[in-house]
Amino acid sequence: MQARIVALLIQAKDQGIDYVSGGDIARQLGISRSAVWKYIEAIRNNGAVVDAVPGKGYQLVNSDDLLLPGAINVKTDVVGCEYVYLPEVDSTNSEAKRRIQAGCPEGLVLAAENQTQGRGRMGRPWYSVAGKNLAFSVVLFPSGIPLSRAPFLTPLSAVAVCRAVKKVSGLSIELKWPNDLLIAGLKAGGILLEAGAEMDRLRYAVIGIGINVNLSHGDIPEAVARTATSLSLAAGKPVSRRRLLEEIMISLDSYYTKFCSGGAQSILTEYVELCSTLGKEIAFLWQGQRRSGRAVSVAPDGALIVITKSGEMLTLRAGDVHCL
Ligand code: BTN
């Protein structure tokens, strides 16, 4: 019922109606006015700011930032078929894997307000600020995809996020291979793909996405202050977390269904257009040694192809690269 009330208040706001009376809510949902009041209290306890004006009704003040069920409404084939909001969790990727074990549907999206042990690539921690960022994971069961194609889900997700960010904020994101979302060279987000396999078949994939949406300079931890940014800092105005999450879910759904029906090549072409690593001299670790070379292309499985000064061709499948 809380989700239905949130949805109703958001719908009203989207239609330019500021306040919805308790009587209207009660009538539309077939509950009493006192039940409406109790549910509004519960919604407030979940982080929503609801203004109540006698004689006028209720208004959601922070509707742009709300990720509560009912606030997120998408019509998709797979991604978001079930949506779960978690006020706090260790890591949405870890929670996704627990839910896969317990049995959950494909397309489940888990969004957390706060992660106590958010994880980045290469075992690094991922910091996220409650109420200002997006931290969520998507569960996929790409049964028809061979294990060797699993890494392609990272570039696929990166392209999907870029399209959604552009649509909601107007910002152009560049991609640093393999998963960094950059604006003017600074990191605004990242993707952590974790997959499980049986024999040579992909059993599940968890796509974890973290985006710095409305961080101000003071919110960015000292350790990454010189390398990180947020969408709002780059756009010079707040960006709606709710609309961004919805658009990413829609975009991811469309790229994923395209991938499953054999459309990987066009997604790779889009990734190559957005990947700022290509054409640059880069440094990287190769079999424990520091090497460098020119990043020349991305293979169909998402690997980075590098040509060294001596003309050797190397295929990087994991790790970090640094532009020289
Ligand atoms: C990176 O750039 O290193 C990847 C960052 C991925 C962070 C997201 S936040 C949601 C999901 N849960 C996690 O613990 N990590 C990913």
Side-chain angles (χ1 to χ4, degrees), residues 187-225:
K187 182 152 171 162
I191 294 161
L192 177 65
L193 170 71
E194 296 182 304
E198 242 159 38
M199 308 294 281
D200 63 343
R201 282 269 158 240
L202 193 52
R203 193 165 70 81
Y204 71 80
V206 174
I207 300 172
I209 301 177
I211 303 181
N212 300 339
V213 184
N214 287 319
L215 295 186
S216 58
H217 283 296
D219 296 319
I220 299 179
E222 188 69 34
V224 290

PDB file of all heavy atoms in Angstrom, residues 187-225:
ATOM      1  N   LYS A 187      36.239  10.369 -12.504  1.00  0.00           N
ATOM      2  CA  LYS A 187      35.347   9.217 -12.386  1.00  0.00           C
ATOM      3  C   LYS A 187      34.017   9.599 -11.737  1.00  0.00           C
ATOM      4  O   LYS A 187      33.977  10.142 -10.643  1.00  0.00           O
ATOM      5  CB  LYS A 187      36.045   8.115 -11.567  1.00  0.00           C
ATOM      6  CG  LYS A 187      35.218   6.855 -11.436  1.00  0.00           C
ATOM      7  CD  LYS A 187      36.090   5.629 -11.258  1.00  0.00           C
ATOM      8  CE  LYS A 187      35.250   4.417 -10.910  1.00  0.00           C
ATOM      9  NZ  LYS A 187      35.922   3.153 -11.126  1.00  0.00           N
ATOM     10  N   ALA A 188      32.921   9.292 -12.449  1.00  0.00           N
ATOM     11  CA  ALA A 188      31.585   9.585 -11.918  1.00  0.00           C
ATOM     12  C   ALA A 188      30.832   8.297 -11.601  1.00  0.00           C
ATOM     13  O   ALA A 188      29.719   8.345 -11.069  1.00  0.00           O
ATOM     14  CB  ALA A 188      30.790  10.413 -12.930  1.00  0.00           C
ATOM     15  N   GLY A 189      31.433   7.153 -11.938  1.00  0.00           N
ATOM     16  CA  GLY A 189      30.748   5.898 -11.642  1.00  0.00           C
ATOM     17  C   GLY A 189      31.528   4.718 -12.151  1.00  0.00           C
ATOM     18  O   GLY A 189      32.552   4.873 -12.832  1.00  0.00           O
ATOM     19  N   GLY A 190      31.044   3.531 -11.792  1.00  0.00           N
ATOM     20  CA  GLY A 190      31.722   2.311 -12.232  1.00  0.00           C
ATOM     21  C   GLY A 190      30.766   1.136 -12.239  1.00  0.00           C
ATOM     22  O   GLY A 190      29.643   1.221 -11.711  1.00  0.00           O
ATOM     23  N   ILE A 191      31.239   0.064 -12.844  1.00  0.00           N
ATOM     24  CA  ILE A 191      30.412  -1.139 -12.988  1.00  0.00           C
ATOM     25  C   ILE A 191      31.199  -2.337 -12.475  1.00  0.00           C
ATOM     26  O   ILE A 191      32.379  -2.494 -12.805  1.00  0.00           O
ATOM     27  CB  ILE A 191      30.045  -1.343 -14.477  1.00  0.00           C
ATOM     28  CG1 ILE A 191      29.136  -0.194 -14.926  1.00  0.00           C
ATOM     29  CG2 ILE A 191      29.363  -2.687 -14.718  1.00  0.00           C
ATOM     30  CD1 ILE A 191      29.082  -0.012 -16.416  1.00  0.00           C
ATOM     31  N   LEU A 192      30.557  -3.157 -11.669  1.00  0.00           N
ATOM     32  CA  LEU A 192      31.197  -4.374 -11.164  1.00  0.00           C
ATOM     33  C   LEU A 192      30.374  -5.568 -11.617  1.00  0.00           C
ATOM     34  O   LEU A 192      29.267  -5.784 -11.124  1.00  0.00           O
ATOM     35  CB  LEU A 192      31.264  -4.331  -9.626  1.00  0.00           C
ATOM     36  CG  LEU A 192      31.839  -5.568  -8.942  1.00  0.00           C
ATOM     37  CD1 LEU A 192      33.311  -5.756  -9.294  1.00  0.00           C
ATOM     38  CD2 LEU A 192      31.672  -5.474  -7.425  1.00  0.00           C
ATOM     39  N   LEU A 193      30.933  -6.312 -12.580  1.00  0.00           N
ATOM     40  CA  LEU A 193      30.226  -7.495 -13.094  1.00  0.00           C
ATOM     41  C   LEU A 193      30.735  -8.727 -12.365  1.00  0.00           C
ATOM     42  O   LEU A 193      31.946  -8.961 -12.295  1.00  0.00           O
ATOM     43  CB  LEU A 193      30.495  -7.642 -14.599  1.00  0.00           C
ATOM     44  CG  LEU A 193      30.030  -8.946 -15.247  1.00  0.00           C
ATOM     45  CD1 LEU A 193      28.512  -9.008 -15.328  1.00  0.00           C
ATOM     46  CD2 LEU A 193      30.632  -9.111 -16.627  1.00  0.00           C
ATOM     47  N   GLU A 194      29.820  -9.512 -11.812  1.00  0.00           N
ATOM     48  CA  GLU A 194      30.195 -10.774 -11.174  1.00  0.00           C
ATOM     49  C   GLU A 194      29.319 -11.865 -11.776  1.00  0.00           C
ATOM     50  O   GLU A 194      28.100 -11.690 -11.889  1.00  0.00           O
ATOM     51  CB  GLU A 194      30.019 -10.683  -9.664  1.00  0.00           C
ATOM     52  CG  GLU A 194      30.965  -9.645  -9.068  1.00  0.00           C
ATOM     53  CD  GLU A 194      30.880  -9.532  -7.554  1.00  0.00           C
ATOM     54  OE1 GLU A 194      29.771  -9.295  -7.038  1.00  0.00           O
ATOM     55  OE2 GLU A 194      31.911  -9.666  -6.904  1.00  0.00           O
ATOM     56  N   ALA A 195      29.967 -12.965 -12.182  1.00  0.00           N
ATOM     57  CA  ALA A 195      29.202 -14.001 -12.864  1.00  0.00           C
ATOM     58  C   ALA A 195      29.478 -15.360 -12.270  1.00  0.00           C
ATOM     59  O   ALA A 195      30.521 -15.598 -11.668  1.00  0.00           O
ATOM     60  CB  ALA A 195      29.552 -13.993 -14.349  1.00  0.00           C
ATOM     61  N   GLY A 196      28.518 -16.268 -12.432  1.00  0.00           N
ATOM     62  CA  GLY A 196      28.687 -17.641 -11.966  1.00  0.00           C
ATOM     63  C   GLY A 196      28.443 -18.569 -13.137  1.00  0.00           C
ATOM     64  O   GLY A 196      27.586 -18.302 -13.978  1.00  0.00           O
ATOM     65  N   ALA A 197      29.235 -19.664 -13.204  1.00  0.00           N
ATOM     66  CA  ALA A 197      29.123 -20.552 -14.361  1.00  0.00           C
ATOM     67  C   ALA A 197      28.963 -22.003 -13.937  1.00  0.00           C
ATOM     68  O   ALA A 197      29.320 -22.395 -12.822  1.00  0.00           O
ATOM     69  CB  ALA A 197      30.358 -20.403 -15.222  1.00  0.00           C
ATOM     70  N   GLU A 198      28.388 -22.790 -14.841  1.00  0.00           N
ATOM     71  CA  GLU A 198      28.297 -24.236 -14.676  1.00  0.00           C
ATOM     72  C   GLU A 198      28.806 -24.831 -15.968  1.00  0.00           C
ATOM     73  O   GLU A 198      28.297 -24.489 -17.041  1.00  0.00           O
ATOM     74  CB  GLU A 198      26.828 -24.623 -14.499  1.00  0.00           C
ATOM     75  CG  GLU A 198      26.533 -25.264 -13.173  1.00  0.00           C
ATOM     76  CD  GLU A 198      25.060 -25.139 -12.848  1.00  0.00           C
ATOM     77  OE1 GLU A 198      24.241 -25.254 -13.775  1.00  0.00           O
ATOM     78  OE2 GLU A 198      24.746 -24.895 -11.671  1.00  0.00           O
ATOM     79  N   MET A 199      29.798 -25.695 -15.895  1.00  0.00           N
ATOM     80  CA  MET A 199      30.459 -26.190 -17.100  1.00  0.00           C
ATOM     81  C   MET A 199      30.890 -24.954 -17.913  1.00  0.00           C
ATOM     82  O   MET A 199      31.485 -24.069 -17.386  1.00  0.00           O
ATOM     83  CB  MET A 199      29.549 -27.115 -17.924  1.00  0.00           C
ATOM     84  CG  MET A 199      28.931 -28.232 -17.130  1.00  0.00           C
ATOM     85  SD  MET A 199      30.154 -29.418 -16.537  1.00  0.00           S
ATOM     86  CE  MET A 199      30.428 -30.369 -17.994  1.00  0.00           C
ATOM     87  N   ASP A 200      30.522 -24.857 -19.198  1.00  0.00           N
ATOM     88  CA  ASP A 200      30.939 -23.672 -19.947  1.00  0.00           C
ATOM     89  C   ASP A 200      29.752 -22.730 -20.196  1.00  0.00           C
ATOM     90  O   ASP A 200      29.769 -21.922 -21.101  1.00  0.00           O
ATOM     91  CB  ASP A 200      31.608 -24.068 -21.269  1.00  0.00           C
ATOM     92  CG  ASP A 200      30.643 -24.792 -22.189  1.00  0.00           C
ATOM     93  OD1 ASP A 200      29.600 -25.250 -21.682  1.00  0.00           O
ATOM     94  OD2 ASP A 200      30.926 -24.881 -23.390  1.00  0.00           O
ATOM     95  N   ARG A 201      28.706 -22.870 -19.382  1.00  0.00           N
ATOM     96  CA  ARG A 201      27.520 -22.014 -19.541  1.00  0.00           C
ATOM     97  C   ARG A 201      27.446 -20.982 -18.427  1.00  0.00           C
ATOM     98  O   ARG A 201      27.756 -21.272 -17.270  1.00  0.00           O
ATOM     99  CB  ARG A 201      26.236 -22.861 -19.504  1.00  0.00           C
ATOM    100  CG  ARG A 201      25.958 -23.581 -20.780  1.00  0.00           C
ATOM    101  CD  ARG A 201      25.078 -22.731 -21.709  1.00  0.00           C
ATOM    102  NE  ARG A 201      25.221 -23.157 -23.097  1.00  0.00           N
ATOM    103  CZ  ARG A 201      25.646 -22.384 -24.086  1.00  0.00           C
ATOM    104  NH1 ARG A 201      25.984 -21.146 -23.883  1.00  0.00           N
ATOM    105  NH2 ARG A 201      25.726 -22.833 -25.310  1.00  0.00           N
ATOM    106  N   LEU A 202      27.017 -19.817 -18.792  1.00  0.00           N
ATOM    107  CA  LEU A 202      26.843 -18.744 -17.817  1.00  0.00           C
ATOM    108  C   LEU A 202      25.570 -19.045 -17.018  1.00  0.00           C
ATOM    109  O   LEU A 202      24.504 -19.219 -17.604  1.00  0.00           O
ATOM    110  CB  LEU A 202      26.690 -17.449 -18.616  1.00  0.00           C
ATOM    111  CG  LEU A 202      26.787 -16.122 -17.915  1.00  0.00           C
ATOM    112  CD1 LEU A 202      28.063 -16.043 -17.100  1.00  0.00           C
ATOM    113  CD2 LEU A 202      26.768 -15.003 -18.956  1.00  0.00           C
ATOM    114  N   ARG A 203      25.695 -19.164 -15.695  1.00  0.00           N
ATOM    115  CA  ARG A 203      24.506 -19.477 -14.885  1.00  0.00           C
ATOM    116  C   ARG A 203      23.807 -18.183 -14.438  1.00  0.00           C
ATOM    117  O   ARG A 203      22.606 -18.066 -14.478  1.00  0.00           O
ATOM    118  CB  ARG A 203      24.928 -20.306 -13.656  1.00  0.00           C
ATOM    119  CG  ARG A 203      23.748 -20.934 -12.933  1.00  0.00           C
ATOM    120  CD  ARG A 203      24.221 -22.006 -11.977  1.00  0.00           C
ATOM    121  NE  ARG A 203      24.933 -21.457 -10.828  1.00  0.00           N
ATOM    122  CZ  ARG A 203      24.357 -20.944  -9.753  1.00  0.00           C
ATOM    123  NH1 ARG A 203      23.044 -20.882  -9.667  1.00  0.00           N
ATOM    124  NH2 ARG A 203      25.086 -20.480  -8.748  1.00  0.00           N
ATOM    125  N   TYR A 204      24.602 -17.232 -13.984  1.00  0.00           N
ATOM    126  CA  TYR A 204      24.020 -15.942 -13.604  1.00  0.00           C
ATOM    127  C   TYR A 204      25.046 -14.835 -13.807  1.00  0.00           C
ATOM    128  O   TYR A 204      26.252 -15.078 -13.876  1.00  0.00           O
ATOM    129  CB  TYR A 204      23.551 -15.945 -12.133  1.00  0.00           C
ATOM    130  CG  TYR A 204      24.676 -15.947 -11.129  1.00  0.00           C
ATOM    131  CD1 TYR A 204      25.370 -14.776 -10.795  1.00  0.00           C
ATOM    132  CD2 TYR A 204      25.077 -17.119 -10.510  1.00  0.00           C
ATOM    133  CE1 TYR A 204      26.413 -14.780  -9.892  1.00  0.00           C
ATOM    134  CE2 TYR A 204      26.127 -17.137  -9.598  1.00  0.00           C
ATOM    135  CZ  TYR A 204      26.785 -15.964  -9.299  1.00  0.00           C
ATOM    136  OH  TYR A 204      27.828 -15.965  -8.401  1.00  0.00           O
ATOM    137  N   ALA A 205      24.550 -13.627 -13.933  1.00  0.00           N
ATOM    138  CA  ALA A 205      25.420 -12.450 -13.952  1.00  0.00           C
ATOM    139  C   ALA A 205      24.788 -11.407 -13.036  1.00  0.00           C
ATOM    140  O   ALA A 205      23.564 -11.224 -13.046  1.00  0.00           O
ATOM    141  CB  ALA A 205      25.541 -11.895 -15.369  1.00  0.00           C
ATOM    142  N   VAL A 206      25.619 -10.788 -12.225  1.00  0.00           N
ATOM    143  CA  VAL A 206      25.149  -9.671 -11.398  1.00  0.00           C
ATOM    144  C   VAL A 206      25.867  -8.424 -11.897  1.00  0.00           C
ATOM    145  O   VAL A 206      27.102  -8.382 -11.909  1.00  0.00           O
ATOM    146  CB  VAL A 206      25.458  -9.902  -9.901  1.00  0.00           C
ATOM    147  CG1 VAL A 206      25.087  -8.669  -9.083  1.00  0.00           C
ATOM    148  CG2 VAL A 206      24.723 -11.124  -9.375  1.00  0.00           C
ATOM    149  N   ILE A 207      25.104  -7.458 -12.344  1.00  0.00           N
ATOM    150  CA  ILE A 207      25.700  -6.205 -12.814  1.00  0.00           C
ATOM    151  C   ILE A 207      25.500  -5.168 -11.712  1.00  0.00           C
ATOM    152  O   ILE A 207      24.362  -4.777 -11.426  1.00  0.00           O
ATOM    153  CB  ILE A 207      25.037  -5.728 -14.126  1.00  0.00           C
ATOM    154  CG1 ILE A 207      25.231  -6.790 -15.214  1.00  0.00           C
ATOM    155  CG2 ILE A 207      25.621  -4.382 -14.560  1.00  0.00           C
ATOM    156  CD1 ILE A 207      24.466  -6.502 -16.486  1.00  0.00           C
ATOM    157  N   GLY A 208      26.598  -4.773 -11.072  1.00  0.00           N
ATOM    158  CA  GLY A 208      26.519  -3.772 -10.003  1.00  0.00           C
ATOM    159  C   GLY A 208      26.920  -2.411 -10.555  1.00  0.00           C
ATOM    160  O   GLY A 208      27.965  -2.282 -11.197  1.00  0.00           O
ATOM    161  N   ILE A 209      26.071  -1.434 -10.340  1.00  0.00           N
ATOM    162  CA  ILE A 209      26.343  -0.101 -10.887  1.00  0.00           C
ATOM    163  C   ILE A 209      26.345   0.929  -9.760  1.00  0.00           C
ATOM    164  O   ILE A 209      25.421   0.989  -8.949  1.00  0.00           O
ATOM    165  CB  ILE A 209      25.275   0.271 -11.959  1.00  0.00           C
ATOM    166  CG1 ILE A 209      25.306  -0.786 -13.087  1.00  0.00           C
ATOM    167  CG2 ILE A 209      25.510   1.687 -12.511  1.00  0.00           C
ATOM    168  CD1 ILE A 209      24.272  -0.588 -14.171  1.00  0.00           C
ATOM    169  N   GLY A 210      27.422   1.716  -9.712  1.00  0.00           N
ATOM    170  CA  GLY A 210      27.507   2.786  -8.723  1.00  0.00           C
ATOM    171  C   GLY A 210      27.724   4.105  -9.451  1.00  0.00           C
ATOM    172  O   GLY A 210      28.617   4.199 -10.299  1.00  0.00           O
ATOM    173  N   ILE A 211      26.894   5.097  -9.164  1.00  0.00           N
ATOM    174  CA  ILE A 211      27.039   6.400  -9.834  1.00  0.00           C
ATOM    175  C   ILE A 211      27.000   7.524  -8.800  1.00  0.00           C
ATOM    176  O   ILE A 211      26.135   7.545  -7.911  1.00  0.00           O
ATOM    177  CB  ILE A 211      25.924   6.622 -10.882  1.00  0.00           C
ATOM    178  CG1 ILE A 211      25.938   5.477 -11.899  1.00  0.00           C
ATOM    179  CG2 ILE A 211      26.098   7.965 -11.603  1.00  0.00           C
ATOM    180  CD1 ILE A 211      24.904   5.590 -12.981  1.00  0.00           C
ATOM    181  N   ASN A 212      27.964   8.424  -8.911  1.00  0.00           N
ATOM    182  CA  ASN A 212      27.955   9.620  -8.062  1.00  0.00           C
ATOM    183  C   ASN A 212      26.980  10.597  -8.705  1.00  0.00           C
ATOM    184  O   ASN A 212      27.303  11.216  -9.714  1.00  0.00           O
ATOM    185  CB  ASN A 212      29.341  10.265  -8.023  1.00  0.00           C
ATOM    186  CG  ASN A 212      30.402   9.327  -7.464  1.00  0.00           C
ATOM    187  OD1 ASN A 212      30.073   8.368  -6.757  1.00  0.00           O
ATOM    188  ND2 ASN A 212      31.654   9.589  -7.775  1.00  0.00           N
ATOM    189  N   VAL A 213      25.822  10.736  -8.121  1.00  0.00           N
ATOM    190  CA  VAL A 213      24.789  11.556  -8.784  1.00  0.00           C
ATOM    191  C   VAL A 213      24.816  12.998  -8.275  1.00  0.00           C
ATOM    192  O   VAL A 213      25.083  13.921  -9.020  1.00  0.00           O
ATOM    193  CB  VAL A 213      23.379  10.936  -8.604  1.00  0.00           C
ATOM    194  CG1 VAL A 213      22.339  11.755  -9.375  1.00  0.00           C
ATOM    195  CG2 VAL A 213      23.354   9.487  -9.079  1.00  0.00           C
ATOM    196  N   ASN A 214      24.545  13.178  -6.986  1.00  0.00           N
ATOM    197  CA  ASN A 214      24.414  14.553  -6.479  1.00  0.00           C
ATOM    198  C   ASN A 214      25.438  14.893  -5.397  1.00  0.00           C
ATOM    199  O   ASN A 214      25.153  15.682  -4.484  1.00  0.00           O
ATOM    200  CB  ASN A 214      22.990  14.767  -5.949  1.00  0.00           C
ATOM    201  CG  ASN A 214      21.994  14.873  -7.083  1.00  0.00           C
ATOM    202  OD1 ASN A 214      22.262  15.507  -8.114  1.00  0.00           O
ATOM    203  ND2 ASN A 214      20.843  14.233  -6.933  1.00  0.00           N
ATOM    204  N   LEU A 215      26.625  14.315  -5.497  1.00  0.00           N
ATOM    205  CA  LEU A 215      27.670  14.627  -4.510  1.00  0.00           C
ATOM    206  C   LEU A 215      28.171  16.049  -4.712  1.00  0.00           C
ATOM    207  O   LEU A 215      28.391  16.470  -5.850  1.00  0.00           O
ATOM    208  CB  LEU A 215      28.871  13.693  -4.671  1.00  0.00           C
ATOM    209  CG  LEU A 215      28.695  12.206  -4.402  1.00  0.00           C
ATOM    210  CD1 LEU A 215      30.043  11.502  -4.480  1.00  0.00           C
ATOM    211  CD2 LEU A 215      28.065  11.987  -3.035  1.00  0.00           C
ATOM    212  N   SER A 216      28.378  16.754  -3.588  1.00  0.00           N
ATOM    213  CA  SER A 216      29.066  18.048  -3.693  1.00  0.00           C
ATOM    214  C   SER A 216      30.548  17.779  -3.418  1.00  0.00           C
ATOM    215  O   SER A 216      30.914  16.667  -3.021  1.00  0.00           O
ATOM    216  CB  SER A 216      28.479  19.037  -2.686  1.00  0.00           C
ATOM    217  OG  SER A 216      28.616  18.477  -1.410  1.00  0.00           O
ATOM    218  N   HIS A 217      31.405  18.799  -3.600  1.00  0.00           N
ATOM    219  CA  HIS A 217      32.844  18.574  -3.399  1.00  0.00           C
ATOM    220  C   HIS A 217      33.120  18.012  -2.006  1.00  0.00           C
ATOM    221  O   HIS A 217      33.923  17.107  -1.833  1.00  0.00           O
ATOM    222  CB  HIS A 217      33.621  19.872  -3.600  1.00  0.00           C
ATOM    223  CG  HIS A 217      33.766  20.216  -5.053  1.00  0.00           C
ATOM    224  ND1 HIS A 217      34.468  19.419  -5.931  1.00  0.00           N
ATOM    225  CD2 HIS A 217      33.273  21.238  -5.791  1.00  0.00           C
ATOM    226  CE1 HIS A 217      34.414  19.933  -7.146  1.00  0.00           C
ATOM    227  NE2 HIS A 217      33.689  21.049  -7.089  1.00  0.00           N
ATOM    228  N   GLY A 218      32.394  18.540  -0.997  1.00  0.00           N
ATOM    229  CA  GLY A 218      32.635  18.123   0.386  1.00  0.00           C
ATOM    230  C   GLY A 218      32.265  16.678   0.653  1.00  0.00           C
ATOM    231  O   GLY A 218      32.708  16.088   1.643  1.00  0.00           O
ATOM    232  N   ASP A 219      31.402  16.093  -0.196  1.00  0.00           N
ATOM    233  CA  ASP A 219      30.979  14.695   0.014  1.00  0.00           C
ATOM    234  C   ASP A 219      32.008  13.699  -0.504  1.00  0.00           C
ATOM    235  O   ASP A 219      31.939  12.507  -0.208  1.00  0.00           O
ATOM    236  CB  ASP A 219      29.677  14.403  -0.749  1.00  0.00           C
ATOM    237  CG  ASP A 219      28.505  15.223  -0.256  1.00  0.00           C
ATOM    238  OD1 ASP A 219      28.396  15.379   0.962  1.00  0.00           O
ATOM    239  OD2 ASP A 219      27.718  15.695  -1.091  1.00  0.00           O
ATOM    240  N   ILE A 220      32.919  14.167  -1.371  1.00  0.00           N
ATOM    241  CA  ILE A 220      33.849  13.230  -2.016  1.00  0.00           C
ATOM    242  C   ILE A 220      35.008  12.930  -1.070  1.00  0.00           C
ATOM    243  O   ILE A 220      35.665  13.860  -0.583  1.00  0.00           O
ATOM    244  CB  ILE A 220      34.360  13.808  -3.362  1.00  0.00           C
ATOM    245  CG1 ILE A 220      33.155  14.014  -4.295  1.00  0.00           C
ATOM    246  CG2 ILE A 220      35.393  12.892  -4.004  1.00  0.00           C
ATOM    247  CD1 ILE A 220      33.480  14.595  -5.656  1.00  0.00           C
ATOM    248  N   PRO A 221      35.236  11.639  -0.756  1.00  0.00           N
ATOM    249  CA  PRO A 221      36.304  11.300   0.191  1.00  0.00           C
ATOM    250  C   PRO A 221      37.661  11.850  -0.275  1.00  0.00           C
ATOM    251  O   PRO A 221      37.958  11.849  -1.481  1.00  0.00           O
ATOM    252  CB  PRO A 221      36.328   9.768   0.200  1.00  0.00           C
ATOM    253  CG  PRO A 221      35.030   9.338  -0.397  1.00  0.00           C
ATOM    254  CD  PRO A 221      34.557  10.451  -1.280  1.00  0.00           C
ATOM    255  N   GLU A 222      38.447  12.295   0.701  1.00  0.00           N
ATOM    256  CA  GLU A 222      39.772  12.874   0.459  1.00  0.00           C
ATOM    257  C   GLU A 222      40.614  12.018  -0.507  1.00  0.00           C
ATOM    258  O   GLU A 222      41.227  12.528  -1.447  1.00  0.00           O
ATOM    259  CB  GLU A 222      40.475  12.957   1.836  1.00  0.00           C
ATOM    260  CG  GLU A 222      41.780  13.699   1.870  1.00  0.00           C
ATOM    261  CD  GLU A 222      41.603  15.198   1.640  1.00  0.00           C
ATOM    262  OE1 GLU A 222      40.571  15.748   2.077  1.00  0.00           O
ATOM    263  OE2 GLU A 222      42.515  15.793   1.007  1.00  0.00           O
ATOM    264  N   ALA A 223      40.559  10.698  -0.272  1.00  0.00           N
ATOM    265  CA  ALA A 223      41.424   9.781  -1.042  1.00  0.00           C
ATOM    266  C   ALA A 223      41.170   9.848  -2.548  1.00  0.00           C
ATOM    267  O   ALA A 223      42.064   9.554  -3.341  1.00  0.00           O
ATOM    268  CB  ALA A 223      41.216   8.355  -0.547  1.00  0.00           C
ATOM    269  N   VAL A 224      39.930  10.213  -2.951  1.00  0.00           N
ATOM    270  CA  VAL A 224      39.634  10.228  -4.387  1.00  0.00           C
ATOM    271  C   VAL A 224      39.246  11.638  -4.874  1.00  0.00           C
ATOM    272  O   VAL A 224      38.767  11.799  -5.999  1.00  0.00           O
ATOM    273  CB  VAL A 224      38.510   9.209  -4.745  1.00  0.00           C
ATOM    274  CG1 VAL A 224      38.995   7.780  -4.595  1.00  0.00           C
ATOM    275  CG2 VAL A 224      37.252   9.441  -3.924  1.00  0.00           C
ATOM    276  N   ALA A 225      39.491  12.639  -3.996  1.00  0.00           N
ATOM    277  CA  ALA A 225      39.036  14.006  -4.307  1.00  0.00           C
ATOM    278  C   ALA A 225      39.568  14.522  -5.651  1.00  0.00           C
ATOM    279  O   ALA A 225      38.906  15.297  -6.326  1.00  0.00           O
ATOM    280  CB  ALA A 225      39.429  14.948  -3.176  1.00  0.00           C
TER     281      ALA A 225
END
